Amino acid sequence: MAGKTFRFSLQSVLDLRRREAEEAEHALGRAMQERRAHEEQLASASQQRAEACAEAPEGPTDSTMLRRRADFLNDLRETEAEAARSLTAVREHESKARRTLTVLRQPEEALKVLRHQEATAHRRTQAKAEAAFLDEQSATRHRHKHRISRS
């Protein structure tokens, strides 16, 4: 017996929540990629500074050369510090994106639970209606059969 098909009354709301959550998920993915890129930049800056510090100046050293070397190392330290500050900001952005995703997933999950409950209730109602229909048919056949046999 084909019954009425299930239609979730809040499906459009669920679809909207799902799209919002997917957008937040994509934003989190982009933030994670950006964080990885900044981590690589920081690692590169740190390695470059470490290599420069390990290098010994070639040839005779005078005060101008030492000052230039100090300025160069200072620039490398500043580049590394800027990369570290940038990485911190990107990590904060990623953390915010993660919290946003969590917040947006909650109503979506609640709607999914509600949809599941409504679908289960619908199936039960359909099964009861089908059982009642079959019982009625069986009772009608039984009454009809006994009328024919009495006649």
Side-chain angles (χ1 to χ4, degrees):
M1 174 177 148
K4 188 175 175 185
T5 59
F6 174 70
R7 173 143 167 69
F8 183 50
S9 60
L10 297 172
Q11 187 64 45
S12 60
V13 176
L14 176 59
D15 292 341
L16 175 66
R17 296 292 184 232
R18 186 175 290 141
R19 274 193 303 277
E20 288 174 344
E22 286 173 358
E23 288 172 8
E25 199 172 295
H26 291 301
L28 175 59
R30 288 188 302 272
M32 291 171 69
Q33 287 176 338
E34 188 176 359
R35 176 190 40 86
R36 285 188 209 106
H38 279 78
E39 285 173 343
E40 289 174 8
Q41 287 175 350
L42 177 60
S44 175
S46 296
Q47 181 181 357
Q48 191 176 12
R49 185 184 60 79
E51 289 172 357
C53 287
E55 286 180 8
E58 296 178 10
T61 55
D62 59 355
S63 62
T64 305
M65 188 172 175
L66 289 175
R67 191 170 39 250
R68 284 184 186 157
R69 180 166 169 71
D71 289 344
F72 175 68
L73 293 176
N74 240 359
D75 288 345
L76 289 176
R77 268 189 223 101
E78 184 56 39
T79 301
E80 183 180 12
E82 179 58 36
R85 285 190 294 272
S86 179
L87 177 58
T88 300
V90 169
R91 282 182 175 157
E92 289 174 10
H93 177 68
E94 179 185 5
S95 178
K96 182 180 177 187
R98 192 175 309 280
R99 285 190 305 273
T100 300
L101 176 60
T102 301
V103 166
L104 290 174
R105 282 285 184 212
Q106 290 172 347
E108 178 192 5
E109 291 303 318
L111 285 168
K112 283 180 179 178
V113 168
L114 180 61
R115 183 182 192 285
H116 177 72
Q117 290 171 345
E118 285 186 15
T120 301
H122 176 77
R123 282 191 298 277
R124 284 186 187 140
T125 302
Q126 290 296 106
K128 284 180 184 178
E130 186 174 341
F133 175 76
L134 292 174
D135 287 346
E136 182 60 32
Q137 273 191 332
S138 177
T140 302
R141 282 186 195 148
H142 179 71
R143 283 191 300 266
H144 183 66
K145 186 178 178 182
H146 282 296
R147 276 190 217 145
I148 293 175
S149 64
R150 286 186 195 168
S151 305

